[in-house]
Amino acid sequence: MKYKVLFFVVCNFAFSNVFAQNHKIDSLKTLLKTDKADTNKVTHLNKLCWEQQRIGNYDTALALTKQALVLAEKLNYKKGIANSYNNTGIIFMNKGIYPDALKKYFAALKIYDEINHKQGVADTYNNIGTIYAQQGNLDDALKNFIFALKIYEELNIKQDIANSYNNIGVLYMFQANYPESLKNHKAALKTRLEINDKLGIAMSYNNIGINYYDLGNYTDALKNHLAALKLREEIGQKEGIAASYRNIGVLQIKLKKFTDAQYSLNKALQLSKELGSKLWARDTYAGLEALDSTRGNFKGAYLNHKLYIRYRDSLVNEETKEQAIESQMTYDFEKKAAATKAAQDKTNLIAQEEKQKQKLIFKFTLGGLALVLIFLGFVINRFKITQKQKRIIEQQKQLVEEHQKEVIDSITYAKRLQKAILPPRSEIQQNLPHSFVLYKPKDIVAGDFYWADKIENFYFIAAADCTGHGVPGAMVSMVCSSALNRAVNEFGITETGKILDKVRELVVDAFKKSDDEIKDGMDISLCRIDKTNRIIQWSGAHNPLWYFVKNELVELKADKQPIGKYEFAQPFTTHNLELAQGTNLYLFTDGYADQFGGASPLEERAGKKMTKKKMKDLFVSVQDKTMSEQKQILENYFANWKQNTEQVDDVLIIGITV
């Protein structure tokens, strides 16, 4: 279960500021008492602002940089003005007010350009890149980070070089390019350890931990996040402490330490609200949603999801993106206008001579324009008619698109919830190195799902097919997956037949709470693997188990009853098998064999169903192949069989060599 939305935001971008010196708050306050109203006072006010915001005192920091800006403008101290804009931008960024943050950054960048202050230019490129990254505009974010890195390397500023490596590493993490991400984060950590930058070291530990999380290495992930939390508590960095508690809480969910996770996430939410940070609060609610969903508390998950959406929409919406574009265009236009003015000043004499020529050209242009206006009058009449028709069509189109967006948003949320119940493929591969999962949902979300868990020396894995497909099937799959988790983890059942008995009881009980009679449920093939003794325990509801003995397919029949409400319900049968090393076995649902197709590529449709007979023949033919090769052959065969025919059902096959 990966909640990347959470981790995307809590991974730390390094914000640059022209005041990297670690001045103490008390000493700065002492200096300000004796400062005259000059440039030194501007510098000290901005430094104190930076120290206050490092410990999360945003309101105090904002008041200090406003004082600095007023004095700097009075003295016409351009560097001080730019520094104040930059500090204000960072405060707005931390509070989640992105449009205002960008306006301040572009104002600072314009002044740094004018006075040729290279480090200030680099710092501001870095901060602008951070905003773009938070809004999901990764291409523009990367451009700004690379601009900053080049200038820092030219100036040989180690701390800022480390910050740039950090930020580039975060972008690679967003793109799931973990080798490059870890490479950049470890380069940043090395430099930060050399210069003893505790704030930066904590940031690097945090981001390395996130990489390990996405790679499924939860032990090293937790180790790095705990190291980050310890340093952040030492230096009193409140927003960093909140982020660490959030990350630790998500890992504790993964490690099934639900009580610890509840404590960590509540602690993160408390700190987020104290800081007044929409950004931190948004991601903490995402973590609480994940916790409730994993526990099977879907009402709690839904409420936390609504709070997550509320904070998300206040941070990133069309208005903020448009304002970001407007800020960029304003900066670009003013920069070009300044360059044009400089060029005009140099060519003033030539311009005087050209004036007479321009007058003559103007007269000819005016005559031509008169002819154009006559023709234009004729065109305008037709244009007004077509515009009126176009407006009516656009209004209808907009109404349809709004309804469509609501539907897609609902389905996308269902997809997020369903994705949360699927075990990571990397985790399955780690426990069953010689295996594959072939999973092809018919729609965006599916009624089929695969489930896995490890209890003591046993590894459980299942292929399940819930009633229906699409959104209804996905919602039933969440109930059934939660019941499997509870049967194994909460009730401690390890015998496969008894697990299915308990799952049926929990599913029926869940649907009893509805006023309507619900008979939905699932078919399943559930396997328990004892790799040490090569003993397989298996139970099934409608779906069988296939395995091979000396290249001959053996089918183990399932009980002819579903998981769900059933008039003639009986206890599920538990089968025990002791298999030779290298035995191939397969769990699957009925979607693969039920697919219609078999036409030539030129035919639009075909009426033949694949059938289990063809599927068995195919499985027999691939027994000399590795599991990864088998998966590829099965995928290719399915695509060639289906051709232009619509996929009729979800497809799920799990292959394992024991």
Side-chain angles (χ1 to χ4, degrees), residues 260-471:
D260 292 342
Q262 188 78 58
Y263 170 81
S264 299
L265 291 169
N266 286 341
K267 186 75 173 177
L269 186 61
Q270 175 194 340
L271 288 168
S272 301
K273 290 182 176 179
E274 286 177 9
L275 291 166
S277 173
K278 295 178 183 178
L279 180 67
W280 309 138
R282 176 194 71 182
D283 299 326
T284 305
Y285 280 121
L288 289 166
E289 176 195 347
L291 177 60
D292 285 335
S293 180
T294 305
R295 282 174 155 177
N297 179 9
F298 298 115
K299 182 179 179 181
Y302 176 70
L303 293 174
N304 281 307
H305 178 73
K306 285 178 67 177
L307 290 165
Y308 162 78
I309 293 295
R310 184 184 301 168
Y311 279 93
R312 182 201 67 184
D313 289 349
S314 70
L315 288 168
V316 182
N317 51 44
E318 288 303 317
E319 181 182 352
T320 62
K321 289 184 179 178
E322 287 172 7
Q323 290 175 344
I325 293 168
E326 180 186 346
S327 298
Q328 178 74 60
M329 290 176 66
T330 301
Y331 169 71
D332 290 342
F333 175 79
E334 290 177 351
K335 189 172 181 179
K336 289 175 183 176
T340 302
K341 185 177 182 303
Q344 287 175 343
D345 290 341
K346 295 174 73 175
T347 57
N348 248 348
L349 292 175
I350 299 172
Q352 292 296 325
E353 295 175 3
E354 290 291 320
K355 273 187 178 180
Q356 295 303 318
K357 293 180 184 178
Q358 293 298 327
K359 284 181 181 179
L360 185 61
I361 293 170
F362 177 72
K363 288 178 182 179
F364 282 108
T365 304
L366 196 60
L369 184 61
L371 292 173
V372 171
L373 288 172
I374 293 170
F375 177 72
L376 189 61
F378 172 76
V379 173
I380 284 174
N381 185 47
R382 296 302 307 164
F383 177 74
K384 285 181 178 178
I385 295 171
T386 55
Q387 279 298 102
K388 184 177 180 181
Q389 294 171 339
K390 184 180 177 182
R391 279 196 298 272
I392 294 170
I393 294 170
E394 285 293 328
Q395 287 170 357
Q396 293 172 341
K397 180 184 175 186
Q398 184 178 357
L399 186 62
V400 171
E401 287 176 347
E402 286 174 359
H403 287 307
Q404 185 181 26
K405 183 179 183 297
E406 290 175 5
V407 173
I408 291 172
D409 285 347
S410 297
I411 295 174
T412 302
Y413 174 58
K415 181 180 180 181
R416 287 189 64 230
L417 287 178
Q418 186 175 42
K419 189 177 179 182
I421 71 173
L422 297 177
R425 300 284 181 88
S426 58
E427 185 179 283
I428 295 174
Q429 201 67 32
Q430 183 179 351
N431 286 280
L432 301 172
H434 304 293
S435 65
F436 72 79
V437 177
L438 174 56
Y439 186 49
K440 288 182 174 295
K442 177 185 183 296
D443 303 306
I444 297 175
V445 289
D448 286 13
F449 71 95
Y450 54 95
W451 175 86
D453 207 343
K454 186 175 182 181
I455 305 295
E456 298 173 351
N457 294 326
F458 299 136
Y459 191 72
F460 295 88
I461 190 161
D465 180 359
C466 294
T467 308
H469 47 74
V471 173

Side-chain angles (χ1 to χ4, degrees), residues 476 479-480 483-484 486 500-522 561-567 569 572:
V476 176
V479 174
C480 294
L484 281 164
R486 291 186 65 198
L500 296 189
D501 292 337
K502 190 64 180 180
V503 170
R504 176 168 56 195
E505 176 189 328
L506 293 171
V507 169
V508 170
D509 185 62
F511 289 139
K512 272 183 182 176
K513 297 173 185 176
S514 171
D515 292 333
D516 300 322
E517 184 179 6
I518 298 176
K519 295 183 178 180
D520 290 321
M522 70 172 169
Q561 57 180 347
I563 300 291
K565 190 172 183 180
Y566 182 58
E567 185 177 356
F572 283 95

Side-chain angles (χ1 to χ4, degrees), residues 231-275:
L231 281 169
R232 285 166 168 173
E233 288 178 334
E234 282 180 15
I235 59 179
Q237 187 203 13
K238 289 182 182 178
E239 69 273 18
I241 296 169
S244 288
Y245 271 119
R246 252 193 336 275
N247 292 348
I248 291 166
V250 169
L251 277 165
Q252 287 165 336
I253 295 171
K254 194 65 194 173
L255 296 169
K256 300 176 183 175
K257 298 179 179 180
F258 300 137
T259 303
D260 292 342
Q262 188 78 58
Y263 170 81
S264 299
L265 291 169
N266 286 341
K267 186 75 173 177
L269 186 61
Q270 175 194 340
L271 288 168
S272 301
K273 290 182 176 179
E274 286 177 9
L275 291 166

